[in-house]
Amino acid sequence: MTMLLPLAYLLLGWLCGKTHWNVKTPASWLLTRFIIPLVIIYNLSTHFRSMAGIIVVTALAMVLMLMLARWLWGDAVKAMCFAYLNIGWLGLPIASALFGNDAAAIIIAAYVGSSLVGNSLGASMLASDAFSLKKIVQTPPVIALAIGILLIPVGPWITQYVDGIYQLAKFLMSFLGMAVLGIWLAKTPLNRGNIGVELKAFLQRAATVFVLVSLLYVCARIGHFALITDNAAVLYLFCLLPPAANIIVLETHYLGTGRSASMITCGTCISLVAIALYSLAIIGARLLAA
Protein backbone atom coordinates (compact mmCIF):
# COMPACT_ATOMS: atom_id res chain seq x y z
CA MET A 1 0.00 0.00 0.00
CA THR A 2 2.84 2.41 0.84
CA MET A 3 4.28 1.94 -2.64
CA LEU A 4 0.91 2.79 -4.22
CA LEU A 5 0.31 6.05 -2.34
CA PRO A 6 2.39 8.27 -4.69
CA LEU A 7 0.33 6.92 -7.60
CA ALA A 8 -2.89 7.74 -5.74
CA TYR A 9 -1.68 11.32 -5.23
CA LEU A 10 -0.79 11.52 -8.92
CA LEU A 11 -4.29 10.35 -9.85
CA LEU A 12 -5.93 12.93 -7.58
CA GLY A 13 -3.84 15.64 -9.21
CA TRP A 14 -4.79 14.37 -12.66
CA LEU A 15 -8.49 14.54 -11.74
CA CYS A 16 -8.00 18.07 -10.38
CA GLY A 17 -6.27 19.01 -13.63
CA LYS A 18 -9.47 18.15 -15.50
CA THR A 19 -11.26 20.93 -13.61
CA HIS A 20 -10.87 24.70 -13.90
CA TRP A 21 -9.29 25.06 -10.44
CA ASN A 22 -5.87 26.72 -10.63
CA VAL A 23 -4.18 25.07 -7.63
CA LYS A 24 -0.80 24.15 -9.14
CA THR A 25 0.71 27.63 -8.73
CA PRO A 26 -0.13 28.09 -5.01
CA ALA A 27 0.78 24.46 -4.32
CA SER A 28 4.16 24.94 -6.02
CA TRP A 29 4.77 28.13 -4.06
CA LEU A 30 3.89 26.43 -0.76
CA LEU A 31 6.20 23.49 -1.48
CA THR A 32 9.11 25.64 -2.63
CA ARG A 33 8.95 28.25 0.12
CA PHE A 34 7.83 26.34 3.20
CA ILE A 35 7.29 22.58 3.11
CA ILE A 36 10.54 21.44 1.48
CA PRO A 37 12.69 23.81 3.61
CA LEU A 38 10.93 22.54 6.76
CA VAL A 39 11.74 18.91 5.88
CA ILE A 40 15.37 19.85 5.25
CA ILE A 41 15.66 21.77 8.53
CA TYR A 42 14.20 18.91 10.57
CA ASN A 43 16.46 16.23 9.08
CA LEU A 44 19.62 18.30 9.28
CA SER A 45 19.04 19.41 12.86
CA THR A 46 18.20 15.91 14.13
CA HIS A 47 20.34 13.52 12.03
CA PHE A 48 23.15 15.59 10.56
CA ARG A 49 26.06 13.63 12.05
CA SER A 50 24.94 10.29 10.61
CA MET A 51 23.71 11.81 7.36
CA ALA A 52 26.51 14.28 6.56
CA GLY A 53 28.63 11.94 4.42
CA ILE A 54 25.73 10.76 2.27
CA ILE A 55 24.40 14.32 1.94
CA VAL A 56 27.76 15.59 0.69
CA VAL A 57 28.35 12.68 -1.71
CA THR A 58 24.84 12.95 -3.16
CA ALA A 59 25.18 16.71 -3.61
CA LEU A 60 28.55 16.36 -5.37
CA ALA A 61 27.25 13.58 -7.64
CA MET A 62 24.24 15.66 -8.60
CA VAL A 63 26.39 18.71 -9.35
CA LEU A 64 28.52 16.56 -11.68
CA MET A 65 25.43 15.18 -13.42
CA LEU A 66 23.87 18.63 -13.77
CA MET A 67 27.03 20.15 -15.25
CA LEU A 68 27.50 17.19 -17.61
CA ALA A 69 23.90 17.32 -18.83
CA ARG A 70 23.94 21.10 -19.25
CA TRP A 71 27.18 20.84 -21.25
CA LEU A 72 25.83 18.04 -23.44
CA TRP A 73 22.38 19.44 -24.19
CA GLY A 74 22.44 23.12 -23.21
CA ASP A 75 18.89 22.77 -21.85
CA ALA A 76 18.25 23.53 -18.17
CA VAL A 77 14.97 21.58 -17.99
CA LYS A 78 16.48 18.51 -19.67
CA ALA A 79 19.54 18.74 -17.42
CA MET A 80 17.31 18.79 -14.35
CA CYS A 81 15.40 15.73 -15.57
CA PHE A 82 18.70 13.92 -16.04
CA ALA A 83 20.29 14.78 -12.69
CA TYR A 84 17.49 15.43 -10.18
CA LEU A 85 15.97 12.08 -9.14
CA ASN A 86 12.66 11.40 -7.40
CA ILE A 87 14.38 10.25 -4.20
CA GLY A 88 11.97 11.65 -1.62
CA TRP A 89 8.47 11.47 -3.08
CA LEU A 90 8.83 8.08 -4.80
CA GLY A 91 12.11 6.52 -3.67
CA LEU A 92 11.50 6.88 0.07
CA PRO A 93 8.17 5.00 0.34
CA ILE A 94 9.38 2.25 -2.00
CA ALA A 95 12.77 1.80 -0.27
CA SER A 96 11.14 1.83 3.16
CA ALA A 97 8.68 -0.86 2.10
CA LEU A 98 11.40 -3.04 0.58
CA PHE A 99 14.36 -2.55 2.90
CA GLY A 100 13.25 -0.99 6.20
CA ASN A 101 14.71 1.71 8.49
CA ASP A 102 18.35 1.63 7.34
CA ALA A 103 17.18 2.22 3.79
CA ALA A 104 15.03 5.11 4.95
CA ALA A 105 18.08 6.75 6.58
CA ILE A 106 20.08 6.50 3.36
CA ILE A 107 17.20 7.74 1.21
CA ILE A 108 16.44 10.72 3.46
CA ALA A 109 20.10 11.77 3.52
CA ALA A 110 20.35 11.43 -0.26
CA TYR A 111 17.11 13.38 -0.61
CA VAL A 112 18.48 16.25 1.47
CA GLY A 113 21.65 16.39 -0.63
CA SER A 114 19.79 16.27 -3.94
CA SER A 115 17.15 18.70 -2.73
CA LEU A 116 19.78 21.25 -1.75
CA VAL A 117 21.40 21.11 -5.19
CA GLY A 118 18.17 20.80 -7.16
CA ASN A 119 16.44 23.64 -5.38
CA SER A 120 19.46 25.94 -5.39
CA LEU A 121 21.80 25.33 -8.35
CA GLY A 122 18.99 23.73 -10.37
CA ALA A 123 16.61 26.58 -9.59
CA SER A 124 19.30 29.07 -10.59
CA MET A 125 19.71 27.29 -13.92
CA LEU A 126 15.98 27.51 -14.55
CA ALA A 127 15.71 31.13 -13.49
CA SER A 128 18.67 32.44 -15.45
CA ASP A 129 21.36 31.31 -17.85
CA ALA A 130 23.97 32.98 -15.67
CA PHE A 131 25.31 31.25 -12.57
CA SER A 132 24.77 33.51 -9.57
CA LEU A 133 26.23 32.51 -6.20
CA LYS A 134 24.27 35.33 -4.57
CA LYS A 135 20.97 33.96 -5.89
CA ILE A 136 21.86 30.43 -4.78
CA VAL A 137 22.67 31.59 -1.23
CA GLN A 138 19.28 33.30 -1.09
CA THR A 139 17.27 30.23 -2.14
CA PRO A 140 15.02 28.58 0.50
CA PRO A 141 16.97 25.25 0.61
CA VAL A 142 20.29 26.96 1.31
CA ILE A 143 18.67 29.10 3.98
CA ALA A 144 17.14 25.91 5.38
CA LEU A 145 20.59 24.28 5.39
CA ALA A 146 21.99 27.14 7.49
CA ILE A 147 19.05 27.05 9.90
CA GLY A 148 19.25 23.26 10.21
CA ILE A 149 22.95 23.36 11.10
CA LEU A 150 22.37 26.14 13.64
CA LEU A 151 19.63 24.05 15.29
CA ILE A 152 21.78 20.91 15.70
CA PRO A 153 22.37 21.62 19.44
CA VAL A 154 18.60 21.48 20.08
CA GLY A 155 18.05 18.45 17.82
CA PRO A 156 16.74 16.20 20.63
CA TRP A 157 14.16 18.85 21.58
CA ILE A 158 13.08 19.16 17.94
CA THR A 159 12.69 15.39 17.67
CA GLN A 160 10.50 15.32 20.76
CA TYR A 161 8.25 18.30 20.11
CA VAL A 162 8.27 18.98 16.37
CA ASP A 163 7.99 15.45 15.01
CA GLY A 164 4.24 15.77 14.42
CA ILE A 165 4.76 18.89 12.30
CA TYR A 166 7.53 17.12 10.39
CA GLN A 167 5.32 14.11 9.64
CA LEU A 168 2.65 16.46 8.28
CA ALA A 169 5.21 18.32 6.17
CA LYS A 170 6.60 15.03 4.80
CA PHE A 171 3.08 13.94 3.83
CA LEU A 172 2.32 17.28 2.18
CA MET A 173 5.62 17.16 0.31
CA SER A 174 4.71 13.83 -1.27
CA PHE A 175 1.01 14.59 -1.72
CA LEU A 176 1.29 18.09 -3.19
CA GLY A 177 4.35 17.28 -5.29
CA MET A 178 2.78 14.29 -6.99
CA ALA A 179 -0.53 16.15 -7.29
CA VAL A 180 1.14 19.05 -9.14
CA LEU A 181 2.71 16.52 -11.49
CA GLY A 182 -0.73 14.94 -12.00
CA ILE A 183 -2.26 18.34 -12.83
CA TRP A 184 0.37 18.93 -15.51
CA LEU A 185 -0.13 15.38 -16.79
CA ALA A 186 -3.83 16.10 -17.33
CA LYS A 187 -2.82 19.00 -19.57
CA THR A 188 0.10 17.28 -21.33
CA PRO A 189 -0.50 14.95 -24.30
CA LEU A 190 1.60 11.78 -24.32
CA ASN A 191 2.45 9.50 -27.23
CA ARG A 192 4.74 6.64 -28.15
CA GLY A 193 7.36 9.11 -29.27
CA ASN A 194 7.56 10.52 -25.75
CA ILE A 195 8.00 7.03 -24.30
CA GLY A 196 10.77 6.20 -26.78
CA VAL A 197 12.68 9.41 -26.06
CA GLU A 198 12.38 8.97 -22.30
CA LEU A 199 13.39 5.30 -22.47
CA LYS A 200 16.68 6.44 -24.00
CA ALA A 201 17.01 9.11 -21.29
CA PHE A 202 16.23 6.50 -18.62
CA LEU A 203 19.00 4.20 -19.88
CA GLN A 204 21.50 7.08 -20.02
CA ARG A 205 20.61 8.19 -16.50
CA ALA A 206 20.63 4.64 -15.12
CA ALA A 207 24.09 3.94 -16.60
CA THR A 208 25.51 7.18 -15.17
CA VAL A 209 24.07 6.59 -11.70
CA PHE A 210 25.25 2.95 -11.80
CA VAL A 211 28.84 4.10 -12.29
CA LEU A 212 28.61 6.70 -9.51
CA VAL A 213 26.94 4.28 -7.09
CA SER A 214 29.54 1.61 -7.80
CA LEU A 215 32.35 4.08 -7.08
CA LEU A 216 30.62 5.05 -3.83
CA TYR A 217 30.28 1.41 -2.82
CA VAL A 218 33.97 0.73 -3.46
CA CYS A 219 34.95 3.78 -1.40
CA ALA A 220 32.60 2.68 1.39
CA ARG A 221 34.23 -0.77 1.43
CA ILE A 222 37.67 0.81 1.71
CA GLY A 223 36.49 3.19 4.45
CA HIS A 224 34.44 0.52 6.29
CA PHE A 225 31.25 2.58 6.09
CA ALA A 226 28.79 -0.12 7.18
CA LEU A 227 25.59 1.84 6.46
CA ILE A 228 26.53 1.85 2.78
CA THR A 229 28.17 -1.57 2.44
CA ASP A 230 25.32 -3.34 4.24
CA ASN A 231 22.70 -1.74 1.99
CA ALA A 232 24.06 -2.14 -1.53
CA ALA A 233 20.63 -3.07 -2.90
CA VAL A 234 19.30 0.28 -1.71
CA LEU A 235 22.09 2.12 -3.51
CA TYR A 236 21.35 0.47 -6.85
CA LEU A 237 17.68 1.38 -6.51
CA PHE A 238 18.81 4.94 -7.30
CA CYS A 239 19.66 3.77 -10.84
CA LEU A 240 15.97 3.12 -11.50
CA LEU A 241 14.46 6.29 -10.07
CA PRO A 242 12.72 8.73 -12.46
CA PRO A 243 13.17 12.51 -12.66
CA ALA A 244 11.98 14.26 -9.52
CA ALA A 245 8.38 15.43 -9.49
CA ASN A 246 9.74 18.55 -7.80
CA ILE A 247 11.20 19.63 -11.16
CA ILE A 248 7.71 20.50 -12.38
CA VAL A 249 7.18 22.47 -9.16
CA LEU A 250 10.37 24.46 -9.79
CA GLU A 251 9.60 24.95 -13.47
CA THR A 252 6.10 26.14 -12.62
CA HIS A 253 7.45 28.53 -10.00
CA TYR A 254 10.38 30.00 -11.95
CA LEU A 255 9.31 29.70 -15.61
CA GLY A 256 5.53 29.34 -15.51
CA THR A 257 5.78 26.44 -17.99
CA GLY A 258 5.29 22.67 -17.79
CA ARG A 259 7.65 21.26 -20.43
CA SER A 260 9.13 18.77 -17.96
CA ALA A 261 5.73 17.18 -17.23
CA SER A 262 5.89 14.69 -20.11
CA MET A 263 9.56 13.91 -19.37
CA ILE A 264 8.79 13.23 -15.71
CA THR A 265 5.59 11.31 -16.39
CA CYS A 266 7.03 9.05 -19.09
CA GLY A 267 10.16 8.58 -17.01
CA THR A 268 8.05 7.67 -13.98
CA CYS A 269 6.06 5.08 -15.98
CA ILE A 270 9.27 3.46 -17.24
CA SER A 271 10.83 3.55 -13.76
CA LEU A 272 7.81 1.95 -12.12
CA VAL A 273 8.14 -1.04 -14.45
CA ALA A 274 11.88 -1.28 -13.78
CA ILE A 275 11.39 -0.91 -10.00
CA ALA A 276 8.69 -3.59 -10.03
CA LEU A 277 11.08 -6.02 -11.74
CA TYR A 278 13.87 -5.04 -9.33
CA SER A 279 11.56 -5.58 -6.35
CA LEU A 280 10.59 -9.03 -7.64
CA ALA A 281 14.28 -9.89 -8.01
CA ILE A 282 15.01 -8.76 -4.43
CA ILE A 283 12.07 -10.74 -3.04
CA GLY A 284 13.06 -13.80 -5.09
CA ALA A 285 16.64 -13.61 -3.81
CA ARG A 286 15.39 -13.46 -0.23
CA LEU A 287 13.18 -16.50 -0.76
CA LEU A 288 16.07 -18.45 -2.24
CA ALA A 289 18.35 -17.41 0.63
CA ALA A 290 15.74 -18.57 3.16
Side-chain angles (χ1 to χ4, degrees):
M1 286 300 297
T2 302
M3 295 171 64
L4 295 176
L5 285 177
L7 298 180
Y9 306 153
L10 183 73
L11 177 60
L12 288 174
W14 183 85
L15 292 173
C16 184
K18 294 297 183 180
T19 70
H20 296 292
W21 299 340
N22 181 24
V23 299
K24 66 179 183 295
T25 300
S28 300
W29 184 86
L30 185 63
L31 280 164
T32 304
R33 297 296 178 179
F34 292 100
I35 294 174
I36 292 173
L38 179 59
V39 171
I40 292 173
I41 290 169
Y42 180 90
N43 281 287
L44 286 175
S45 61
T46 57
H47 301 98
F48 182 76
R49 290 175 180 85
S50 62
M51 296 167 61
I54 299 174
I55 291 172
V56 171
V57 169
T58 305
L60 290 175
M62 186 173 171
V63 169
L64 289 174
M65 290 179 67
L66 268 176
M67 295 297 98
L68 174 64
R70 186 64 186 271
W71 177 72
L72 287 174
W73 298 304
D75 185 325
V77 173
K78 191 172 181 179
M80 286 283 280
C81 289
F82 179 76
Y84 194 2
L85 305 181
N86 196 333
I87 297 173
W89 300 350
L90 185 62
L92 179 58
I94 291 174
S96 298
L98 278 176
F99 303 109
N101 291 333
D102 284 348
I106 294 172
I107 294 291
I108 290 173
Y111 169 74
V112 172
S114 67
S115 181
L116 286 170
V117 176
N119 290 280
S120 56
L121 178 59
S124 178
M125 289 172 58
L126 290 174
S128 171
D129 289 333
F131 177 84
S132 173
L133 181 61
K134 181 179 178 181
K135 288 183 178 180
I136 291 177
V137 171
Q138 293 174 344
T139 57
V142 175
I143 295 172
L145 171 64
I147 295 173
I149 293 174
L150 289 174
L151 291 178
I152 288 175
V154 294
W157 181 90
I158 291 174
T159 301
Q160 184 175 358
Y161 294 104
V162 188
D163 185 68
I165 297 175
Y166 166 67
Q167 295 300 329
L168 175 61
K170 190 167 66 169
F171 163 74
L172 289 174
M173 181 181 69
S174 181
F175 175 73
L176 291 178
M178 296 302 290
V180 169
L181 174 58
I183 292 170
W184 276 113
L185 173 60
K187 304 178 184 299
T188 305
L190 300 177
N191 53 53
R192 292 182 180 179
N194 295 136
I195 295 292
V197 170
E198 293 313 313
L199 178 59
K200 179 181 178 181
F202 169 82
L203 295 174
Q204 292 172 332
R205 184 169 55 248
T208 304
V209 177
F210 180 86
V211 172
L212 293 174
V213 164
S214 297
L215 289 173
L216 173 61
Y217 181 76
V218 170
C219 292
R221 286 289 296 260
I222 295 172
H224 304 289
F225 192 0
L227 183 63
I228 295 297
T229 57
D230 293 344
N231 293 278
V234 180
L235 295 180
Y236 287 102
L237 177 64
F238 286 99
C239 302
L240 308 178
L241 293 177
N246 191 39
I247 296 169
I248 191 63
V249 174
L250 292 170
E251 187 186 356
T252 301
H253 182 72
Y254 290 104
L255 299 179
T257 59
R259 190 159 57 91
S260 62
S262 62
M263 302 180 194
I264 298 168
T265 303
C266 292
T268 299
C269 294
I270 295 167
S271 290
L272 287 173
V273 174
I275 290 170
L277 295 175
Y278 186 69
S279 301
L280 290 174
I282 294 295
I283 295 170
R286 288 174 181 171
L287 291 174
L288 290 175

